[in-house]
Amino acid sequence: MTASLRLPLLLVLALAFALALGGCSSKKEDSVGYMGGRYRGTKSYTVRGKTYHPYQSARGYRETGTASWYGPGFHGKKTSNGERYDQNAMTAAHKLLPFGTRLRVTNLGNGRSVIVRINDRGPFVGTRIIDLSKEAARRLNMIGSGTARVSLVALGEGEREAQILTPEGDMLGLFYVQIAALQDIRRADRLATFMRTKGYGCRIVRHERRMQDYYVHLGPYLSRSAAEKVGRALRKSFKDLFVIAE
């Protein structure tokens, strides 16, 4: 074979080798993450015949709905963003929020709240809006029930949820009605239990420095006006109550 013929042949072989490598790389990349790695971050994806178009930004995101949790059956498996799912980490799955979004999740039934990071897609069951890790669900006290009604608020880097003033002058955010400050945890527990039987969300907060002081809060309420309405209704029973913003 002459030199003039060998050169094109070498070029063809080099090109074929490069294409083969590219195919291997693509195949390996497709094996990572949700739906074979085809859908990551904010790209559209399809599940059970329905196409989802994730938000480009979580700025200003707020939602109220039903949360669920997932645990042992998924522990160690890859999440939609390629991480390994850790049921003991503070993470969650959401159908539309960008990966890495930090959310404050508040259990509207008991007032407990946690901060989670979105690293997975779902839940794709009914009208549920978020799937929490087992640890996040434990802290929200919803392991036994499996689901809970929650509020979601997106957080910026290093910040808490913003309080937004509406055109009508109302303030949006998370608000509580403090109905008692007690130094006996048993009395605080009894009062909280009683208020829950009346249909109120309730939590007990321990003072950061005066560890013997316990505050009983009703809520959370997603606007100051809603919290103040509850306060007015209970003013006769709790004369020293007041509204606080978290």
Side-chain angles (χ1 to χ4, degrees):
M1 183 180 294
T2 65
S4 61
L5 291 176
R6 282 201 302 270
L7 183 57
L9 180 59
L10 289 174
L11 290 174
V12 169
L13 291 174
L15 179 59
F17 184 69
L19 290 173
L21 285 178
C24 292
S25 175
S26 176
K27 186 175 181 180
K28 182 178 180 181
E29 190 173 298
D30 285 350
S31 69
V32 177
Y34 183 67
M35 294 288 286
R38 293 191 295 270
Y39 307 112
R40 301 170 65 87
T42 59
K43 291 184 179 179
S44 299
Y45 64 94
T46 301
V47 174
R48 299 173 186 171
K50 182 176 180 179
T51 299
Y52 297 87
H53 304 283
Y55 304 138
Q56 297 300 306
S57 169
R59 185 176 181 84
Y61 168 82
R62 290 170 178 268
E63 190 173 4
T64 300
T66 301
S68 52
W69 66 274
Y70 64 130
F74 297 88
H75 187 68
K77 295 183 179 180
K78 285 184 178 178
T79 63
S80 302
N81 74 344
E83 297 177 6
R84 294 287 179 180
Y85 173 62
D86 182 354
Q87 65 179 358
N88 301 309
M90 297 300 289
T91 59
H94 192 279
K95 292 186 285 289
L96 298 174
L97 288 171
F99 294 143
T101 298
R102 294 169 60 252
L103 285 179
R104 179 178 291 280
V105 183
T106 301
N107 186 336
L108 297 177
N110 58 25
R112 296 189 180 191
S113 65
V114 297
I115 294 176
V116 298
R117 178 176 57 85
I118 300 300
N119 71 341
D120 209 354
R121 289 291 178 231
F124 302 106
V125 178
T127 58
R128 299 176 187 178
I129 61 173
I130 193 168
D131 230 355
L132 301 166
S133 68
K134 183 178 181 180
E135 177 62 16
R138 185 191 67 79
R139 296 189 190 185
L140 291 175
N141 197 26
M142 54 171 282
I143 291 289
S145 60
T147 61
R149 186 164 176 77
V150 299
S151 70
L152 309 180
V153 181
L155 308 180
E157 188 63 34
E159 68 183 10
R160 302 169 72 175
E161 62 270 28
Q163 294 169 2
I164 302 173
L165 196 64
T166 69
E168 294 77 23
D170 195 8
M171 185 173 287
L172 304 181
L174 289 183
F175 298 87
Y176 293 85
V177 180
Q178 180 169 310
I179 59 174
L182 303 168
Q183 293 188 336
D184 185 339
I185 184 59
R186 291 170 297 181
R187 288 183 60 198
D189 280 334
R190 286 196 294 269
L191 177 57
T193 299
F194 174 76
M195 296 307 292
R196 290 180 187 125
T197 65
K198 298 299 181 181
Y200 294 97
C202 195
R203 71 178 186 180
I204 298 173
V205 178
R206 195 172 188 176
H207 195 284
E208 293 180 358
R209 292 182 296 277
R210 299 194 299 274
M211 301 300 286
Q212 74 279 11
D213 289 352
Y214 301 91
Y215 302 140
V216 182
H217 294 165
L218 304 183
Y221 302 98
L222 302 183
S223 69
R224 187 172 187 87
S225 63
E228 289 175 342
K229 182 178 180 180
V230 172
R232 288 193 297 270
L234 296 174
R235 182 70 64 183
K236 291 183 179 179
S237 300
F238 304 97
K239 295 182 179 180
D240 296 326
L241 66 76
F242 57 92
V243 173
I244 60 173
E246 184 171 275

